Structure formats: C-alpha cells, structure tokens
C-alpha cells in the first residue's frame, strides 16, 4: 500500500532517478476520512519547548513579517508530531507572507505524505496542491521530480503525466547541470509505456517508438552538461530496437555541443561562486550568465528544440529563474527579470506571476512594489483602451483599476518599506495610475476621501519621522492635483496649522498639523517657486518659455525668501552644503532669473552677505583642518583599537593594531574578517579587571558574562561602500520599533573606513530582518550581513545560518 511514495525517504522527496522505471503504484483503499487529521496521540512538548513556541507565536503576532521567527516556529513545531495541525497553520501563515525555499517545501510535502499514509484520496488533495504551489514559487528540478513521482503514486493517466513532464521541461528542463534528470525521468516513463505496449498492444509499438525518438531528438538539441552521455544513450537504444529509425540529426547536435562549450566557463564561474558562498560574487556570476543568454537571444534549444525567438526567450527565462532561486532577495535582479517579461516576452500571465513573486521575496523594497503597480495599471488600461479610458461610460472600469492597484499599494505599505524613499516609490506609482486617466479630475472626484496623496503624506509623516523627500516630488504632485489649494499645500509643509477649509483636500484637517519640512531649505524654495509660477499663470503672463517676469508674482516668492534666509538651523535635503547656504543661493538665482538689478542688489545685501560668510567659514575649516585636540579626539573615537590611557603592564602587552582583533567570519577583504574591540569594551575590561583572557573558551565565557546581549542583537556587515556614513548605514536597516546604531570600523592611521561595520539593534527581531537582507545592494554594493559572533566562538557558515534562523 502506498508503495510509490512510502518507499521514498520522507525527508528527500525528490522524484525519479535517471534509471527510473514507471511501474504503477498499488491501489490503496481510502480508509481514512477526508476530514482534516487531528494531532497524533504521541508525546506532547515539554514545558521548555512550549514556552519557546508560545514566545515565537507572540513575536509573529506583533510582527507577521519577521522571517526568522517564521522559520524558527516551523522548526520548533516540526519536532513534535502531536502539534501537526499547528505546524500546518504556521506554514500557511509563513507561505502567505514569504515564498518558501526548496528545502522548506520538501519538508512540508514529506510531512504531509507521512500524515496521509494509507489515504491516497486525501493525499491527492493535500500533497498535489502543495506541489503546485511549490513549483510556482521556484523552478526546482528536485520539486518537479517529486511531483512526477507523486503522479505515479496517484495513478494519473498517460496524457496527464505527459502534460506534467512537459511543464517541467519548459524551464527546469533547461537547467544546464540538473535539467537532464527531468529528461531522464520523462524518457523512463515513455520507455515503460513502450514495454507495456509491446506486451499488451503490439500495433501501438511503432507509434510509441517514434514518441521516444522525438523526445531524444528534443533533448539532443538542448545544450546541457551531459550531452555526450545523452548521445551515447540514444545510440545504444537505437541499436537495441528491432526496427531502426533516424533519431540523431547531426546539425542540431553539433549546434548544441558548441553552445554547451560556450556555457562551460560561465558554469565554472557559478560553481566557484557557490563554493565561495559570497552573495555578491554569486550575483555577479549569475549576472554574467544572464548577459550571455540575453545577448545570444537566449541560446540554442528549448524543450521544444531550435533556437532564437521563442526558444531564446525560454532559455533566458530559465537563466533568470535559476538566478532568482540562488539570490531570491536581490531586488535589482527581480526588477531586471520583470522588465524582461514586461517588455520582451509580453505575456501577462508570466509578468503578473513574476511581479507577485518579486514582492514576496523583496517585501521591503519600494521600487519592486512600484514596478508591479505600474505594470498592472498599464496592462489593465490597455485592456480598456488607453484613449477611451476616461470616457464617462468607462469611468467605473477605471475606478476598478485604481482599486486593484490600491490593493497592491496597501500590501506594499503594510509590508514595512525600509525607508521613506521606499514608501514614497510605492505611493508615487499609485499617483501615476490617476494621471494615466485622460479625465483624472473626474476620477479624483470619485475617489472622495481616499486620495493616495493624502494617505502618502500622512503615512510618511507618521512612520518615517525625520525623513525628507529630497526632490520634493510629493509636495509638487499634491499642489498640481489640487491647484486651487496649491499654495496652502506648500505652506502646510513648512508651517503648522494651515487651514484648508471645507473644500480642501480631505485628510489634511483635524489632528494632522503639518510643518514636517519646516527646517528643510528645499521645501521653502519649492514654496517660493510655486507662489511665483502660480501668480504668473493666474495673470496670464506665460509664454512657451514659462512664466514671464511679473512684479507682483515675484514679490510673493521674495517674501518667502526674506522670511527664512537668516535661519542658521536650516538643513539641505541633499546634504552637500548647509540648508542656509542652499536657500541663500536659491534666492540669488531667483533674482537673476525673475528679478532686476535693483532686486538682485537688495537680495545680495542680505542673502549674498550670509552666503559669502558661510563659504568663507567652510574654506577656512578645510584649509586649517580641525583643532589638534579635536582631531585627536575624533581619531580615538573612530579607532576600534584604542583602549584608553595605559595602565600597569600595558607596555609589555603592546602589539600592532591589526593584531589586536579577534576572528570573525575568517579572513576577508580589506581585513573585513577581523573583529575589533571598541573603547567601551576596553573600559569595561579595565573596570572588571583581568581582560577576556587568552584561551578562546575562556574569552567566549567571559565575553558572554560581560556583554550577555550584545552579539545576540548585533549584525556584522561587510563590503560597505567606503564613503558611506554611519547614519546612512543605520537608516538603511529596519529598527522594528527600536533603535539602530552603526559602528563603521576605520583604519587607525588614516581614519578611513575599512569596509565593514557592526550594527547594533535594541530589538532582536530587527537583527533577524537585517540578516534576511544579506546580498541586497546599498549605495551600489551588495552587502554581506551575518549575526555577530562573540570572541572565541568559531562557527561554520551553516551553523551561523541555523543560529540566525535562515533557510
């Protein structure tokens, strides 16, 4: 009973092997009921395990997006078969939030196979649905082979099993190294049918032989690592047949061999990157592979044979699927994949699925969600007819499109974007949905109080305090969307308590006070520019070059500059100079463009004087350098090896700065594999006395005693851009309701960054979230992120991943 699936290792449901024979599984009586199985009558978890499980469940209640907590909860529940139902619920919640990897899917499937022993009907419903979800998440050869074995266990008919194998060949069968396993399983299935036909239906043998030959010809046209072995197997099979046929076509085989040889260097680079285990190197190797496939039209064959056109597109898709499976949290890679599907392949089902998968893999990247919103809006409006989308009879359809995109937007915002820039990207994409409608003003009227601009402003002000829209994109869009209130909208960004009245934008009254950019120079400049342009247009003083000079219009803008130019506490959104200097420069530029010699002279007497003073102070600071004592203090503050004043015996223990570090992740680039001590560590060591000791075990025990929580809540970050600041790095991470402190390790002699840092969190969940972002780009470089390891602990990469809750 259940011979096909029960005979397999439940931890490794991987499908047929190369020499798989296709024997039908024995029928089993569906003795079990179709209802959900209850928890087994086995040992219940002990008190410690129960407390751990409940703690993880509480963590997920407060933060459903905590990937590490999902992983740990499923692992903890899996240890206790009596909690099978809770495990299933936990896995469903996990899969609803994140795509599971191959190992997680195979564990889930094997557990359900075990749970449905003796009940094939029940297994068909439960396990079959899981396989469909699994192969939709990732194009895994092992999962497809397991699905094929499942079809044998369930007694599928021949057409259904062929259809399944063809689906597997579509992309997974093009895997250069492992794709041959699917071809071998498919061939074993057809050969098994050939043997059955020889016994039971001799007239059908000739037709079945041609089916086998056609399958072999298709495989020989696909470049793969085992092409010579496939050719030898084909020749042996032909020699064994009583009726000889023409299986081998020399031209496609020669082409496939040449293309296989061209891919071998790329495969070696991938293998080396996988062995190294560095996310940045692996992403680079996959990027080179993608460049090759796209430049060559996708390469030679597909599952259907041939090259170029649709065949090339399939091979490029296979390369993309392989890349996103290896680096699933690489948002730039997903964006490249969806762009290829949107603009080259142009199949809605493929694009829609890829965008959804991208957002589940990179839920905190705003541009990933924005790309999905833009694609969905474009596709749906094209379905309606772009030119007629604003017609009255179709306005309800346009509103439906807006609501569909709004649902995607809400999912993106609730996923917790990393920064205000990420959240803004999601909101701006939704704004463009309104603008795409030719009669967007009519659509805005139908939106009533749900306008995306209002929601965007309130969300950014509440959840990203201190964040600044550097380009002032949202205020400009807001003012353009509500032209009658444009001036007040700009004023509400720089002053609190601006009243809009009953006809103003909804949502900006009541408890919302505004004034979030009161100290930002660019917001005041934007306010002044809007006042001038709006006043000029209202007077009809506009030509093809823009508004013409108008004394009244210029005076309103000038009044804004006069009111704030003397504020020394202004900041610039771009940070290249002080906000005061930025605003004074903007006032002088305004007078050059919109004023006259008299008004420029008046502005120069005020703003010009301030600007020249600020520039002179800046030059003086750069020429003289910092005060010697201040420079010494800064060097010590940035030097991880500085231990404070010498004490008794310090001279005897003196050694080089680079020697005074502990191992962390082994040797790395730019000394990034070394862990440096901080000033605080040295002071604490002297206060407690005795240091950490020389013995590694003693050091680890002492470190845990002195700092019990530090490394549990600290991430080790490598491959940093050398020009990034500690504030920029800290802002890139998600604090999860707590705080983040970044400490970039710098060279003792030069004060320059050594390319790695320690990032400390007050919330442990934030550390888990940070580790899940390993491989993501920050200022153009892919970061390597791992949990910090205390001195004296040497762990393997796999042990560190297990500790971090990684998959």
């Amino acid at each position: 009973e259940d011979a096909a699936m029960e005979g397999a290792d439940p931890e490794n449901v991987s499908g047929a092997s190369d020499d798989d024979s296709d024997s039908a599984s024995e029928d089993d009586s569906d003795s079990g009921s179709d209802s959900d199985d209850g928890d087994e009558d086995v040992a219940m978890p002990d008190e410690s395990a129960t407390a751990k499980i409940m703690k993880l469940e509480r963590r997920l209640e407060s933060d459903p997006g905590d990937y590490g907590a999902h992983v740990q909860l499923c692992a903890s529940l899996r240890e206790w078969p009596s909690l099978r139902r809770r495990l299933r619920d936990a896995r469903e919640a996990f899969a609803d939030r994140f795509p599971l990897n191959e190992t997680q899917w195979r564990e889930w499937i094997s557990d359900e196979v075990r749970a449905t022993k003796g009940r094939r009907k029940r297994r068909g419903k439960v396990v079959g649905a899981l396989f469909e979800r699994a192969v939709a998440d990732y194009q895994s050869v092992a999962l497809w082979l397991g699905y094929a074995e499942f079809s044998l266990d369930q007694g599928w008919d021949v057409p259904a099993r062929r259809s399944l194998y063809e689906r597997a060949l579509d992309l997974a069968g093009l895997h250069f190294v492992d794709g041959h396993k699917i071809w071998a399983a498919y061939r074993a299935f057809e050969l098994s049918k050939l043997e059955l036909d020889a016994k039971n239906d001799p007239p059908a043998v000739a037709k079945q032989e041609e089916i086998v030959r056609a399958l072999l010809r298709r495989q020989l046209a696909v470049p793969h690592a085992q092409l010579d072995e496939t050719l030898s197997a084909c020749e042996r099979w032909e020699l064994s047949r009583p009726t000889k046929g023409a299986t081998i076509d020399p031209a496609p085989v020669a082409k496939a061999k040449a293309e296989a040889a061209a891919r071998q260097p790329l495969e070696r680079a991938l293998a080396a990157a996988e062995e190294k285990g560095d996310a940045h190197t692996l992403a680079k190797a996959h990027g080179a592979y993608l460049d090759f496939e796209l430049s060559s039209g996708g390469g030679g064959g597909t599952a259907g044979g041939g090259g170029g056109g649709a065949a090339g597109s399939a091979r490029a898709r296979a390369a993309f699927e392989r890349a996103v499976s290896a680096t699933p949290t690489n948002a730039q890679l997903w964006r490249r994949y969806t762009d290829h599907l949107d603009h080259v392949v142009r199949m809605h089902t493929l694009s829609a699925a890829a965008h959804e998968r991208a957002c589940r893999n990179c839920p905190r990247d705003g541009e990933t969600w924005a790309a999905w919103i833009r694609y969905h809006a474009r596709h749906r409006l094209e379905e309606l007819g772009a030119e007629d989308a604003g017609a009255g009879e179709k306005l309800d359809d346009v509103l439906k499109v807006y609501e569909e995109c709004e649902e995607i937007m809400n999912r993106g915002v609730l996923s917790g974007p990393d920064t205000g820039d990420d959240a803004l990207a999601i909101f701006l994409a939704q704004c463009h949905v309104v603008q795409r409608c030719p009669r967007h003003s009519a659509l805005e009227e139908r939106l009533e109080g749900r306008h995306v601009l209002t929601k965007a402003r309130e969300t950014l002000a509440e959840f990203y305090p201190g964040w600044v829209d550097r380009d002032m994109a949202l205020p400009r869009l807001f003012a353009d969307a509500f032209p009658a209130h444009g001036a007040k909208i700009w004023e509400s960004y720089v002053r609190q308590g601006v009243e809009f009245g009953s006809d103003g934008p909804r949502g900006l009254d009541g408890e919302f006070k505004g004034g979030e950019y009161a100290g930002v120079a660019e917001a005041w400049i934007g306010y002044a520019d809007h006042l001038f342009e709006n006043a000029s247009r209202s007077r009809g003083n506009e030509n093809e070059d823009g508004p013409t000079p108008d004394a009244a219009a210029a005076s309103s803008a000038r009044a804004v500059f006069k009111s704030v130019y003397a504020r020394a506490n202004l900041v610039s959104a771009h940070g290249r100079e002080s906000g005061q200097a930025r605003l004074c420069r903007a006032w002088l530029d305004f007078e050059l463009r919109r004023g006259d010699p008299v008004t420029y002279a008046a502005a120069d007497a005020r703003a010009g004087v301030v600007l020249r003073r600020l520039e002179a102070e800046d030059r003086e600071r750069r020429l003289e350098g910092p005060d010697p004592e201040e420079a010494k203090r800064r060097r010590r503050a940035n030097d991880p090896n500085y231990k404070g004043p010498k004490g008794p015996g310090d001279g005897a223990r003196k050694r080089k700065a680079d020697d005074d570090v502990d191992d962390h992740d082994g040797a790395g680039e730019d000394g990034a594999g070394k862990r440096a001590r901080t000033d605080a560590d040295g002071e604490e060591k002297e206060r407690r006395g005795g240091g950490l000791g020389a013995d590694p075990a003693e050091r680890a025990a002492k470190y845990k005693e002195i700092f019990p929580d530090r490394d549990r809540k600290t991430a080790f970050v490598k491959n940093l851009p050398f020009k990034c600041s500690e504030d920029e790095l800290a802002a890139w991470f998600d604090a999860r309701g707590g705080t983040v402190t970044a400490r970039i390790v710098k060279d003792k002699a030069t004060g320059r960054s050594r390319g790695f840092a320690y990032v400390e969190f007050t919330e442990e969940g934030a550390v888990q979230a940070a580790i899940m972002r390993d491989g993501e780009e920050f200022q153009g470089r892919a970061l390597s992120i791992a949990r910090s390891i205390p001195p004296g602990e040497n762990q393997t990469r796999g042990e560190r991943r297990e500790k971090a809750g990684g998959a």
Side-chain angles (χ1 to χ4, degrees):
E1 188 170 300
D2 294 302
M5 297 294 282
E6 299 304 334
D9 178 3
E11 297 297 328
N12 187 28
V13 180
S14 58
S17 60
D18 289 4
D19 57 352
D20 178 33
S21 61
D22 188 23
S23 59
S25 63
E26 298 179 13
D27 275 343
D28 58 352
S29 59
D30 193 15
S31 54
S33 99
D34 256 0
S35 62
D36 191 14
D37 51 287
D39 293 336
E40 293 180 1
D41 186 18
V42 294
M44 296 295 291
D46 55 32
E47 185 176 348
S48 174
T50 301
K52 180 180 179 181
I53 290 170
M54 293 181 67
K55 181 179 179 181
L56 290 168
E57 289 176 337
R58 286 194 297 270
R59 274 175 59 184
L60 289 172
E61 285 180 5
S62 61
D63 183 8
D66 189 339
Y67 184 94
H70 280 291
V71 173
Q72 294 178 45
L73 178 60
C74 291
S76 299
L77 291 171
R78 195 167 186 254
E79 295 175 1
W80 303 95
S82 59
L83 302 181
R84 182 188 305 148
R85 188 175 300 173
R86 286 173 72 176
L87 173 59
R88 186 178 295 128
D89 292 342
R91 280 169 164 162
E92 289 291 353
F94 189 10
D96 182 60
R97 176 73 63 162
F98 299 100
L100 307 189
N101 61 32
E102 179 186 307
T103 300
Q104 291 161 346
W105 276 119
R106 289 168 67 179
E107 286 179 350
W108 191 353
I109 290 168
S110 66
D111 289 346
E112 295 297 347
V113 167
R114 188 185 299 111
T116 54
K117 181 177 181 180
R119 295 183 292 166
R120 179 156 43 166
K121 185 177 179 181
R122 173 68 179 162
R123 180 183 299 164
K125 292 180 179 179
V126 176
V127 179
L130 288 180
F131 268 121
E132 278 295 327
R133 294 166 64 184
V135 297
D137 266 358
Y138 292 112
Q139 288 295 321
S140 162
V141 170
L143 288 172
W144 277 111
L145 291 174
Y147 202 176
E149 184 178 350
F150 169 78
S151 71
L152 170 65
D153 168 77
Q154 290 293 300
W156 289 12
D157 59 22
V158 171
R161 295 190 66 191
R162 276 187 182 142
S163 175
L164 180 65
Y165 279 117
E166 290 292 340
R167 288 174 58 199
L169 290 181
D170 184 42
L171 291 179
L174 298 179
H175 193 292
F176 189 83
V177 177
D178 296 330
H180 74 102
K181 297 176 183 178
I182 295 178
W183 290 95
Y186 195 179
R187 187 167 67 248
F189 161 68
E190 296 293 358
L191 289 173
S192 176
K193 185 175 185 307
L194 179 60
E195 292 179 7
L196 291 175
D197 286 346
K199 295 177 182 178
N200 305 325
D201 190 9
V205 168
K207 181 179 178 181
Q208 185 61 22
E209 282 184 344
E210 287 305 314
I211 291 176
V212 174
R213 287 191 178 98
L215 186 61
L216 285 167
R217 280 195 291 268
R218 290 169 61 192
Q219 186 180 5
L220 288 171
V222 174
H224 57 283
Q226 302 80 13
L227 190 55
D228 291 335
E229 289 85 343
T230 303
L231 183 59
S232 298
C234 178
E235 292 170 342
R236 289 195 302 271
W237 181 77
E238 278 294 354
L239 290 174
S240 69
R241 303 310 302 162
T243 304
K244 300 296 184 283
T247 302
I248 302 174
D249 186 347
V253 174
K255 184 179 180 181
K257 284 187 174 183
E259 290 166 346
R263 287 170 174 79
Q264 287 291 357
L266 297 168
E267 289 292 337
R268 287 193 291 269
L270 273 180
E274 290 170 355
E275 184 176 357
K276 185 178 180 181
D278 179 69
H280 176 66
T281 306
L282 186 59
K284 188 175 180 181
H286 276 292
Y289 213 135
L290 288 169
D291 291 340
F292 172 82
E293 293 291 2
L294 293 172
S295 63
S296 60
T302 67
S313 176
R315 181 155 292 284
R317 283 177 52 216
F320 271 116
E321 287 291 344
R322 188 175 175 185
V324 297
S325 295
T327 55
T329 59
N330 188 328
Q332 287 72 29
L333 176 61
W334 277 106
R335 181 66 185 278
R336 189 180 182 188
Y337 187 16
T338 54
D339 283 348
H340 175 74
L341 294 175
D342 295 350
H343 306 301
V344 178
V345 180
R346 296 185 65 83
M347 284 186 67
H348 173 63
T349 53
L350 297 179
S351 288
H355 279 290
E356 195 270 344
R357 291 169 59 203
C359 290
R360 291 177 67 216
N361 278 282
C362 309
R364 300 182 188 277
D365 184 76
E367 278 299 328
T368 303
W369 289 98
W372 188 7
I373 294 172
R374 287 191 293 266
Y375 168 76
H376 186 81
R378 188 197 74 189
H379 171 74
R380 293 285 283 114
L381 290 175
E382 286 176 351
E383 283 185 334
L384 296 174
E387 294 182 358
D388 299 329
E393 64 273 12
K394 290 193 175 182
L395 193 56
D396 289 337
D397 293 332
V398 175
L399 183 61
K400 185 177 181 182
V401 173
Y402 178 91
E403 291 171 343
E404 292 168 358
C405 294
E406 185 180 43
E407 182 179 351
I408 299 173
M409 178 195 75
N410 289 334
R411 286 177 58 185
V413 173
L414 291 175
S415 70
D418 279 320
T419 65
D421 289 329
D422 290 300
L424 178 64
I426 299 173
F427 286 122
L428 291 183
Q430 183 69 2
C431 292
H432 296 157
V433 177
V434 179
Q435 294 174 331
R436 281 288 303 273
C437 175
R439 290 179 57 209
H440 61 265
S441 58
L443 178 60
E444 288 171 350
E445 292 176 3
R446 296 283 295 273
L447 294 176
E448 299 179 345
R450 296 186 293 117
H451 201 288
V452 61
L453 291 165
T454 304
K455 182 172 183 178
R457 182 173 180 183
E458 292 174 337
T459 302
L460 290 167
E462 179 178 358
F463 295 102
Y464 301 92
W467 171 83
V468 176
D469 179 0
R470 290 188 295 270
D471 298 323
M472 295 294 140
L474 194 60
R476 295 182 197 282
L477 280 173
F478 217 148
D480 290 343
F482 299 93
H485 303 277
K488 283 192 173 183
I489 287 173
W490 271 106
E491 186 181 5
S492 71
Y493 272 98
V494 296
R495 294 193 177 104
Q496 290 187 350
V498 176
E499 298 291 338
F500 287 91
S502 58
D503 61 337
R506 300 187 183 182
L508 297 185
D509 48 11
E511 297 181 358
F512 188 79
K513 301 301 182 184
E516 56 265 45
Y517 292 164
V520 180
E522 283 79 3
W524 286 99
I525 296 168
Y527 179 30
D529 287 344
H530 177 85
L531 288 175
F532 173 79
E533 294 170 2
N534 189 57
S536 296
R537 291 191 181 97
S538 65
R539 290 174 171 79
N541 299 327
E542 187 172 5
N543 55 36
E544 60 182 8
D545 296 323
T548 59
D550 182 277
S555 64
S556 58
R558 194 173 293 120
V560 173
F561 287 118
K562 287 180 180 179
S563 67
V564 291
Y565 82 95
R567 294 187 185 179
N569 62 344
L570 287 178
V571 298
S572 172
H574 297 280
R576 291 186 292 269
E577 59 183 346
S578 73
Q580 188 180 20
R582 174 80 177 88
L583 189 132
C584 289
R585 199 185 309 279
W587 185 7
L588 294 174
D589 180 65
F590 174 83
E591 296 297 351
L592 281 174
R593 294 182 295 112
R594 308 301 188 193
D596 54 47
V598 175
T599 59
Y600 182 86
D604 186 63
R606 296 182 176 187
V609 170
V610 173
L611 180 60
R612 287 186 287 275
R613 174 177 57 80
L614 293 173
E615 290 175 339
E617 291 174 355
D618 184 57
R619 282 195 302 271
E620 185 177 351
R621 281 194 298 269
R622 283 188 277 120
L623 288 173
E624 293 184 357
D627 177 75
E629 287 300 319
E630 176 67 12
K632 183 177 180 180
R633 187 194 66 78
R634 289 182 181 180
R635 283 197 303 272
R636 287 179 173 179
N638 292 327
D639 182 7
N641 300 301
Y642 175 68
K643 301 179 181 61
K646 286 187 178 181
D650 278 356
R653 295 193 301 270
K654 184 177 179 181
R655 55 181 176 174
K656 288 190 247 181
D658 282 348
D659 293 334
D660 194 17
V661 293
D662 302 314
D663 244 355
H664 192 296
D665 278 353
E669 296 179 359
D670 299 322
K674 302 281 188 175
R675 176 178 174 84
R677 299 193 187 101
T678 64
D679 295 355
D681 291 10
E683 293 167 5
E684 186 73 8
K685 180 183 70 176
E686 290 182 4
R687 183 178 67 81
R688 291 179 178 262
L692 294 179
D695 180 72
E698 180 185 349
R699 290 170 64 81
K702 190 72 172 177
Y703 190 92
K704 289 181 179 178
E705 176 187 347
I706 299 174
F707 307 111
D709 293 327
R710 171 167 292 180
D711 288 284
R712 187 164 57 85
K713 296 181 180 180
T714 301
F716 180 69
V717 185
K718 296 191 295 184
N719 200 38
L720 285 175
F722 289 100
K723 293 185 179 180
C724 80
S725 68
E726 292 178 339
D727 289 340
E728 289 173 337
L729 181 60
W732 188 74
F733 287 95
D734 180 11
R736 295 298 177 94
T739 60
V740 183
T741 303
R743 176 165 50 86
I744 296 176
V745 178
K746 299 184 179 181
D747 183 81
K748 181 177 181 180
T750 65
R752 295 182 60 192
S753 168
R754 295 175 62 187
F756 64 101
Y758 296 93
V759 182
E760 297 180 4
F761 302 84
T762 57
E763 300 295 323
E764 188 172 3
V767 185
Q768 301 285 0
I771 294 169
M772 287 306 303
R773 301 185 65 187
D774 179 37
E776 291 189 19
E777 283 198 3
F778 169 65
Q779 295 185 1
R781 302 192 72 172
L783 298 185
S784 174
I785 307 172
R787 187 184 293 278
S788 177
I789 302 173
E793 289 190 15
N794 292 317
Q795 296 174 295
T796 65
R797 179 176 297 274
E799 289 170 339
R800 290 197 300 274
R801 186 183 297 115
E802 181 179 354
K803 179 180 178 182

